[in-house]
Amino acid sequence: MYPFIQPYRVGKLEVSTVHSLYYEISGNKNGVPVVFLHGGPGGRVDPEDRQFFDPTRYKIILFDQRGAGKSTPSGCLKENTTWDLVKDMEILRKRIGIEKWHLFGGSWGSTLALAYAQAHPDRVISLVLRGVFTVRKSELRFFYQDGASNLFPEACADKRARIIAAKAWSKWEMSTVRLRTNRAAVEKAVDQGNYASALATIENHYFVNEGFMRDGQLLEKQEIDKIRNIPTIVVQGRYDVVCPPITAYALKKVWPTITLHIVPDAGHSCHEVGIEKLLIEATNQMARLQNK
């Protein structure tokens, strides 16, 4: 990871009469723009997210999506769909004065990256994706019903009122993201009631509505055809039970020219050693592309 840096610009962006987004910019003011798309939906950006990018080469943009993190109102589901988030990215791009940018997203962030790129291919320089997720029914069924629960039965034990359920939901996610579970990270997520509530509420909203798209839409040939010429690197943990490798392979099958790295000793987290290393190598590689 690159050294820790502070943002030189922090702001709030009103994207509707309901929602206001937190955003920040760090790195090189004149560098090539890259936007970091956090997971969830309903997750949040973290100061460490800036460290995936060379601050001497990149203009690094982070933002919290609708209802998430420091964006307000927290956990709000009104006017909160995949396509609202795509629209927000365009509003943010124009506010900052960017012609084109690199997209970097993992898990739900990879979903949003693909959705935005297919909607606005002329605004995307490259894609770096980690733990590919396309909100297909089969992916949701595996993680929340008949797949991952067979591997992590001890993490499925909480049931009661709303906040208990929200904490249980967050605990389930944090328990499964690494090949070797990070107990401190699990407990931290559970202790943060507001974060757990927003994450659980927004994720359920999106997943019950199947991402507000057709099942498998992001993998359809006519959608992939829109982005075939965009340089793309995918980093995938072999033992990722949150977003299993089968989805990354499905993307590779319909889009053979992408670069797909399978990390043999990793799960889902972007901070597993092999995944982190390849993501930084990917951003270094993409930084050499010209903004044409």
Side-chain angles (χ1 to χ4, degrees):
M1 300 283 278
Y2 283 96
F4 177 78
I5 55 173
Q6 293 284 359
Y8 62 80
R9 176 176 167 184
V10 173
K12 277 292 188 77
L13 177 65
E14 290 187 7
V15 291
S16 77
T17 57
V18 176
H19 291 277
S20 181
L21 307 187
Y22 166 85
Y23 74 94
E24 63 173 56
I25 310 175
S26 57
N28 184 345
K29 293 181 179 181
N30 298 313
V32 61
V34 61
V35 61
F36 180 97
L37 304 176
H38 68 67
R44 61 188 174 191
V45 294
D46 185 277
E48 285 188 346
D49 298 333
R50 307 168 196 147
Q51 296 177 251
F52 283 106
F53 313 99
D54 183 344
T56 68
R57 305 166 81 179
Y58 277 110
K59 183 175 190 173
I60 305 161
I61 301 133
L62 275 59
F63 75 99
D64 287 328
Q65 297 158 27
R66 293 193 180 200
K70 297 178 183 177
S71 293
T72 54
S74 178
C76 179
L77 304 183
K78 185 178 180 181
E79 299 177 10
N80 197 337
T81 73
T82 304
W83 310 110
D84 288 315
L85 303 186
V86 167
K87 181 179 69 175
D88 292 348
M89 290 176 63
E90 273 296 274
I91 295 172
L92 179 60
R93 180 186 65 78
K94 292 173 183 177
R95 164 66 67 89
I96 298 172
I98 291 170
E99 183 69 20
K100 293 184 177 183
W101 49 7
H102 296 273
L103 307 186
F104 180 107
S107 195
W108 165 257
S110 74
T111 314
L112 184 54
L114 288 168
Y116 175 88
Q118 290 172 4
H120 302 282
D122 56 328
R123 300 301 179 188
V124 181
I125 305 170
S126 77
L127 295 166
V128 174
L129 310 176
R130 185 263 314 165
V132 177
F133 177 51
T134 61
V135 207
R136 291 179 298 173
K137 294 177 183 178
S138 59
E139 297 169 53
L140 296 172
R141 189 166 56 246
F142 177 87
F143 186 52
Y144 292 108
Q145 294 176 327
D146 58 12
S149 59
N150 294 322
L151 300 175
F152 295 89
E154 76 284 1
C156 299
D158 296 298
K159 293 174 185 171
R160 260 176 302 163
R162 179 185 176 90
I163 192 61
I164 300 299
K167 288 185 176 183
W169 183 277
S170 297
K171 182 177 181 179
W172 170 245
E173 292 218 2
M174 293 307 298
S175 296
T176 56
V177 294
R178 289 178 181 262
L179 185 58
R180 295 176 177 83
T181 301
N182 184 329
R183 294 297 172 191
V186 172
E187 295 310 316
K188 181 179 179 181
V190 171
D191 288 342
Q192 297 174 333
N194 289 339
Y195 169 68
S197 179
L199 177 68
T201 300
I202 295 174
E203 284 196 334
N204 273 275
H205 170 64
Y206 272 74
F207 298 162
V208 165
N209 289 287
E210 299 173 5
F212 303 93
M213 63 183 81
R214 299 182 300 276
D215 190 39
Q217 176 177 329
L218 298 178
L219 296 172
E220 291 172 356
K221 181 180 181 300
Q222 67 268 25
E223 299 299 326
I224 295 296
D225 284 345
K226 299 173 183 176
I227 59 175
R228 286 194 191 279
N229 294 328
I230 298 175
T232 298
I233 297 174
V234 176
V235 179
Q236 177 72 46
R238 170 68 70 189
Y239 297 101
D240 186 341
V241 299
V242 181
C243 300
I246 191 169
T247 306
Y249 275 102
L251 182 64
K252 176 72 171 177
K253 185 175 181 180
V254 296
W255 193 3
T257 55
I258 66 171
T259 298
L260 172 60
H261 297 290
I262 301 293
V263 184
D265 56 350
H268 183 67
S269 173
C270 61
H271 292 299
E272 300 215 48
V273 175
I275 289 178
E276 191 175 86
K277 177 177 181 292
L278 283 168
L279 287 175
I280 292 171
E281 289 179 1
T283 61
N284 288 342
Q285 179 178 335
M286 294 307 194
R288 293 192 287 269
L289 296 177
Q290 296 298 311
N291 183 4
K292 295 180 180 179

